Amino acid sequence: MSTHAPLRTPKGPTTMPTPPPLPPLAGTTTGPTALRPLIDTVLTALHDGAHRRDGPLPAGGPDAVTPHTRTATHPLIPDHGTGPHHALRTLVTALTEGAADPADPLCTAHLHTPPLALATAADLAASALNPSMDSWDQAPAASALEADTTAALAAEIYPHQPTPDALITTGGTESNQLALLLARERNGPVQTICATNAHHSITRAAWLLGLPTPLTIPAPNGVMDLTALHQALTHHRHQPLLVTATAGTTDTGQIDPLTAIADLCTTHGAELHIDAAYGGPLLFSPTHRNKIHGLDRAHSVTLDLHKLGWQPAPAGILAVPHRNHLTPLHHQAPYLNADDDTEAGLPDLLGRSLRTTRRPDALKIAVTLQALGRTGLADLIDRTLTTAHHLADLIDKTPTLDLYDHPTISTVLFRPTNATDTTVATIRRTLLTRGHAVLGRARAHNRLWLKATLLNPHTTPHHLHTLLDLVNQLTHDLAEGNTPR
């Protein structure tokens, strides 16, 4: 007889645990229904976080902001998820509360634009649809829209050329790197010539591409010295040369003498690249486009619409006068651009960037261009530059403040009269730490200056007075020996 207990037959079917519901996707016909309540949660969090911050940036500096953010968002990877609305509400509120908000008129430090609501809404659609711009079968309509948008922008820069073209980039740094790469592919190891006012990405691009270190000539008044350029071009005439000029420097916003530089390049047989990341959009303003006259004489032009174009980053452009200038970027990957697919008529997108997967950033640009048109963009640009000149006039009339110069675009440098560089730096950091204002810093004529980069067309004279009052009051407190907190 067996001593083992008999096997028991289970009564009824075995109950299996119910799997959690799958998170909804953003696309297809059901995506918008899933997105709608989530977007409402995000908008509420943006609103609440901004009210909690109540200013251009959070008070307390890194010692306060970092632990507060970490406490509010901990744990970032829980064992069991908190759910979409809780996660969105928690993290978006924390990020907004701790943001430096470029839409606040007292946030004026950098070329950090407040994005237009319509461009931001378009960016949501780009994220929901998620086209990848490296093959046509991932982006059928988006690839056509990008091609038309870049061609239209290139025609604005090169209006007299039959086949200008442009690429979408992540910004000025990538555009400048591509410009040097294309010059190298046309001419071999080019010697770059730039001025001391050039963006740091020029030197970095030369290093990255294995090119000679750029020859840097003086910019004694903030712009490229033409005599020094002539001497450099003459001295190095036996090698391929690429001059890089700047239309809107990051420190003072000044514009190199583009036409005179182009003339010298023509005389000496050098190529010309113009970094117009900041100043390029002046093309859309009949009032100010004369400041960048000569742009169309460059072999390549950098332009950023996430600066004076009010786009969410990134929205960079590299334009060339002839489409075939981009041919060296062609690249073959059979799973993306097989020869027989291309021959059958599928557009080859892989040569439109050094990146593979990339977003359809042309959508927000196209929406903005169509919604505002040339006149709408011109109005935003003109308002912004008028505001910058108004700030300069206010500083000029304030006996306790010194103005560096009236702005070329929308950058205004100033400093308290008779202040030391240490005091200027302390004023800037104190305003940051208190959460009162975001001002930049720039060195010009061997002195440190406070930098206001005006990019917000909603800024009013009241905001400008408030900014200057904050600087004057803090300067007075420091002179009285009050220690900033």
Side-chain angles (χ1 to χ4, degrees), residues 10 33 42 57 61 74 78 89 141 160 196 213 221 224 248 253 295 298 351 411 445:
T33 301
V42 167
L57 79 168
H74 182 80
R89 185 166 53 249
H160 307 299
T196 55
T213 300
N221 296 308
M224 183 181 286
L295 202 66
T411 300
H445 289 172

Side-chain angles (χ1 to χ4, degrees), residues 22 46 73 102 107 174 239 342 390-391 420 456:
L22 284 172
L46 287 169
T73 59
C107 189
E174 184 186 349
Q239 63 187 110
T342 303
H390 185 59
L391 176 60
T420 65
N456 189 339

